[in-house]
Amino acid sequence: MRILLCLFAATTAFAQTPMEVLHARGNVYMFASDSGNVTVQIGEHRDNDGVLMVDTGTAQMAEPILAALKKLTSKQLKYVVNTSADLDHAGGNDIISSTGGTRTAEGRGPLAAEVNIYAQDNTLTRLSAPELHIPEKGLPTMSYEQLKDFTFNGEAVQLISEAPAHTDGDSIVFFRGSNVISAGEIFSTVTYPMIDLARGGSIQGEVKALNHLLELTVPEISQEGGTMVIPGHGRLCDEADVTEYRDMVTIVRDRVADLIEKGKTLDEAKAARVTRDYDGRYSQPKWTGDMFVEAIYKSLKQGKQK
Amino acid sequence: MSRILAWLPIIMLAAPAFAQRGEGGPTGFNMIGLWSGMYHEDELERTDPGPPPGDYTGFPLNEAGLYHADSWHADLVSVMEHQCIPHNAPYSMRGPANLSIHAETDPSNGRLLAYIIDGTFGGASRTIWMDGRSHPSKFAAHTWAGFSTGEWHGDTLKVVTSHIKAGYLRRNGITYNDNATLVEFFDLHDKYLTVTTLTYDPIYLTEPLLRTETFVWNPYQPMGAPHAYGATCQPAPEIPRPYGWVPHHLPGTNTVVTGFSEAYGIPFAATRGGAETMFPEYRKKLKTMTIPPQQVFLNKFKREHEGPDGQAKEAGK
């Protein structure tokens, strides 16, 4: 079951779509496709520069990603961050990390990978599951529980755990100098957030994560621009777009909580169709409004039992 | 031949001047100037205090749009992230809008690149690209003003706008989604500029929403800095609220939506919007409905004709 859920996004991503490169802001680019988004930071800074990639897409996306990267820079890939263990975020680790420089020669880097691959503790654990058969060089080389920060390409980079939200291993990446956040699966402009209960996801955590995103983002003028947010799937965004999404998730959560409060069963909650005003916008065959309601219902019930 | 040669310098001089009429288009009019908003169309909803909750008249809402509108709570505007939102492209021509329209030209050849429309509420100035460029990819960021391209169709400027952030069509919960598109037609009648807008949002509307707004040419119109409000608006927590608070009405609990029907004596069903209510044939159906008392007019009558004790006022008092 876990593998099936883990593969959920990957199966939706197999259709090969053209990759577009958009300049998000500062040093940061968004490699966008229907399969999902990859965030790339490129910079120049004495003795500490190169390429940092947030998520590596599916294995099938690896070649287009590398081709697009080659057009942008000849700099070496030095860091990869996985925002979750989904295979549309970490499926290309193996191939993409092979293109980086070997950092083991001077004893500075990890032995397993040719680039440093960072992930939250639980993401490392899940990617290391034998049934996923991820080669060693595709596994995270370093993990963190709450926060990891360092300077790269002349700007502070923060890897912030938002777990539990989509799963128990979610992270966002904040490029403080460029003023860009790569949000991973906690934010999408194409579908409801997938609350993966089997992998430790939580609707309350998802709402909390979105509110935290809103704390970090600062609009430039007229409630737009400023901090740019790259969602796991969909288009380039800013705070106003995250607000729209946060509002939607909160409202649907509240509607389901109200039904639970009234003693409704899961079937009755689904029959109430409380996502009817958002389904046209966010319901997808692979993750429908009904599935979202079920995940919220079970997540809230689980929370009450704890 | 000599006559033609004699006229040639004049023709050559005139050619660039004619090309610059691109500011008005090959056959279009010159939009550049100052235009004052007129609010005689739908004035009650466009000016203060704005539309009452539950007034969905004139909107071809579908079930999803109606459900969403009923969940809207007026306190939403007090949420920090909502406080400084400017009027969006589908609404901005309806709000307070004293426009300044100017042109952006290519300095190398004087050709028109874009019209800029400043003056909409909140500073989401519109840029209407006239140079034939295509709309950005679906992955590009959306803005309140959206991405607009224009082309002249005779004396009408047709503008198509995409990449708009989700927002309101009426300030009482009727909204559109961020994949909606806007088509506008700018027409000049004497000194009046009429903007006809069609909003396409198949998620909440069963058919395009058609509206018009009119502006009058006013070269004396004072203009403030177009982005002053947007640049200086600072959200502030006016009332202590829980962290992450998003006000909304749970399904079936919105008791204020009936207020409009009761206030103006309109059958409740007729206030709920929907394409059916927008056509003349609906008048036949209206005649079969119970008309509630018009509280607004009853209250006005009481104020004017009755004293505090309910007795009729004496004449002249």
Side-chain angles (χ1 to χ4, degrees):
Chain A
M1 183 61 182
R2 282 184 179 184
I3 296 173
L4 283 177
L5 285 167
C6 191
L7 290 171
F8 156 76
T11 55
T12 65
F14 282 160
Q16 284 295 303
T17 51
M19 178 156 293
E20 288 183 34
V21 176
L22 291 89
H23 182 216
R25 199 180 164 117
N27 294 331
V28 181
Y29 296 82
M30 170 174 156
F31 287 19
S33 78
D34 288 335
S35 306
N37 296 325
V38 169
T39 302
V40 174
Q41 181 218 29
I42 303 167
E44 287 196 24
H45 198 266
R46 191 167 57 108
D47 297 336
N48 188 24
D49 62 5
V51 176
L52 184 156
M53 189 177 288
V54 182
D55 292 328
T56 54
T58 62
Q60 288 79 5
M61 287 167 67
E63 289 305 324
I65 289 170
L66 290 172
L69 184 61
K70 199 175 176 182
K71 286 181 186 170
L72 273 184
T73 183
S74 57
K75 293 271 179 185
Q76 205 168 62
L77 176 67
K78 292 188 176 171
Y79 294 98
V80 164
V81 182
N82 290 139
T83 58
S84 75
D86 291 3
L87 292 185
D88 60 343
H89 290 268
N93 278 10
D94 171 21
I95 301 169
I96 286 175
S97 67
S98 302
T99 65
T102 302
R103 307 197 74 195
T104 57
E106 298 166 32
R108 290 181 297 140
L111 294 172
E114 292 171 331
V115 296
N116 292 312
I117 304 178
Y118 290 165
Q120 204 265 0
D121 290 343
N122 293 324
T123 289
L124 166 63
T125 304
R126 294 190 183 286
L127 287 172
S128 306
E131 59 267 29
L132 286 183
H133 304 292
I134 294 179
E136 199 173 355
K137 63 182 177 182
L139 293 175
T141 56
M142 188 180 288
S143 68
Y144 51 89
E145 184 186 5
Q146 291 297 328
L147 173 73
K148 171 150 188 70
D149 53 18
F150 53 98
T151 297
F152 188 56
N153 288 323
E155 67 175 313
V157 182
Q158 292 182 301
L159 320 183
I160 305 167
S161 169
E162 297 291 348
H166 157 58
T167 66
D168 59 5
D170 305 308
S171 292
I172 61 172
V173 181
F174 188 9
F175 299 94
R176 291 190 3 178
S178 296
N179 202 10
V180 176
I181 298 173
S182 182
E185 280 292 314
I186 69 166
F187 178 46
S188 162
T189 65
V190 296
T191 188
Y192 292 115
M194 192 212 169
I195 310 301
D196 188 344
L197 299 177
R199 291 193 294 154
S202 156
I203 182 61
Q204 300 292 41
E206 170 70 25
V207 171
K208 191 177 166 193
L210 290 169
N211 281 312
H212 186 223
L213 259 186
L214 292 176
E215 286 181 336
L216 296 175
T217 52
V218 183
E220 184 176 348
I221 186 171
S222 296
Q223 195 57 33
E224 69 184 356
T227 311
M228 301 308 288
V229 182
I230 298 176
H233 299 265
R235 63 180 165 79
L236 186 60
C237 291
D238 60 20
E239 181 179 275
D241 304 302
V242 180
T243 300
E244 180 74 14
Y245 198 70
R246 183 279 310 264
D247 290 358
M248 178 274 290
V249 175
T250 304
I251 288 170
V252 176
R253 188 263 327 254
D254 289 353
R255 290 172 181 172
V256 176
D258 178 58
L259 293 171
I260 292 173
E261 194 70 24
K262 289 173 176 165
K264 302 292 182 190
T265 64
L266 174 58
D267 285 342
E268 287 170 334
K270 285 183 181 174
R273 297 173 55 229
V274 294
T275 56
R276 76 184 75 167
D277 51 338
Y278 293 114
D279 281 347
R281 179 66 185 80
Y282 295 109
S283 185
Q284 298 287 342
K286 296 283 184 183
W287 189 243
T288 64
D290 256 13
M291 292 173 177
F292 184 44
V293 166
E294 181 171 342
I296 294 172
Y297 189 96
K298 289 179 175 173
S299 179
L300 292 175
K301 283 276 194 183
Q302 279 178 5
K304 279 193 173 180
Q305 284 164 3
K306 282 178 184 173
Chain B
M1 184 64 185
S2 60
R3 277 187 178 182
I4 293 172
L5 287 176
W7 279 101
L8 196 56
I10 297 171
I11 292 168
M12 288 176 70
L13 281 171
F18 185 77
Q20 282 174 9
R21 196 173 164 262
E23 289 175 358
T27 53
F29 57 91
N30 193 338
M31 300 229 301
I32 295 168
L34 300 171
W35 304 89
S36 294
M38 301 173 72
Y39 304 102
H40 58 290
E41 297 152 294
D42 310 319
E43 180 175 3
L44 287 177
E45 74 161 270
R46 294 172 59 186
T47 56
D48 289 336
D55 176 7
Y56 306 153
T57 54
F59 283 81
L61 292 174
N62 62 17
E63 186 205 13
L66 182 61
Y67 191 77
H68 194 66
D70 278 351
S71 79
W72 177 81
H73 196 296
D75 280 348
L76 192 65
V77 293
S78 71
V79 172
M80 298 271 276
E81 294 84 8
H82 285 263
Q83 288 181 19
C84 294
I85 289 176
H87 283 343
N88 53 69
Y91 188 84
S92 60
M93 293 294 169
R94 297 182 74 72
N98 285 340
L99 306 179
S100 167
I101 302 180
H102 52 102
E104 191 83 29
T105 51
D106 184 335
S108 67
N109 56 22
R111 284 181 61 189
L112 177 68
L113 292 176
Y115 288 117
I116 314 293
I117 303 180
D118 285 329
T120 59
F121 175 78
S125 294
R126 305 276 307 276
T127 298
I128 300 169
W129 295 104
M130 299 294 294
D131 56 355
R133 69 181 64 193
S134 52
H135 284 238
S137 98
K138 65 180 180 179
F139 297 112
H142 287 209
T143 62
W144 299 112
F147 185 93
S148 303
T149 52
E151 58 184 21
W152 287 100
H153 293 255
D155 269 345
T156 297
L157 177 67
K158 180 183 177 185
V159 177
V160 176
T161 303
S162 63
H163 293 73
I164 317 167
K165 287 186 186 295
Y168 43 78
L169 291 168
R170 182 178 274 173
R171 295 172 296 155
N172 63 357
I174 299 175
T175 51
Y176 65 90
N177 287 275
D178 59 352
N179 46 13
T181 52
L182 178 70
V183 177
E184 297 164 290
F185 301 93
F186 289 74
D187 287 289
L188 188 68
H189 303 102
D190 190 19
K191 61 182 180 181
Y192 298 99
L193 179 70
T194 299
V195 186
T196 305
T197 67
L198 283 162
T199 307
Y200 294 81
D201 178 14
I203 294 177
Y204 285 164
L205 304 176
T206 58
E207 49 199 277
L209 172 69
L210 171 66
R211 302 192 286 196
T212 58
E213 296 86 28
T214 299
F215 299 82
V216 60
W217 182 60
N218 180 6
Y220 300 102
Q221 174 179 275
M223 287 293 297
H227 302 293
Y229 174 83
T232 57
C233 180
Q234 297 284 343
E238 293 165 346
I239 303 170
R241 299 292 194 190
Y243 178 74
W245 178 69
V246 179
H248 61 97
H249 290 287
L250 289 167
T253 66
N254 188 344
T255 56
V256 298
V257 287
T258 57
F260 173 67
S261 159
E262 291 156 4
Y264 290 93
I266 302 169
F268 182 61
T271 67
R272 307 289 285 161
E276 182 196 13
T277 64
M278 298 168 63
F279 291 98
E281 294 76 20
Y282 192 69
R283 283 180 294 190
K284 291 176 190 167
K285 200 169 178 178
L286 268 178
K287 287 177 182 170
T288 67
M289 297 176 177
T290 305
I291 309 291
Q294 302 176 16
Q295 290 302 330
V296 165
F297 301 107
L298 288 177
N299 292 341
K300 185 170 184 284
F301 182 86
K302 279 184 182 175
R303 281 199 306 274
E304 292 175 354
H305 299 284
E306 293 178 7
D309 55 358
Q311 298 296 313
K313 280 183 182 176
E314 289 178 34
K317 290 191 176 178

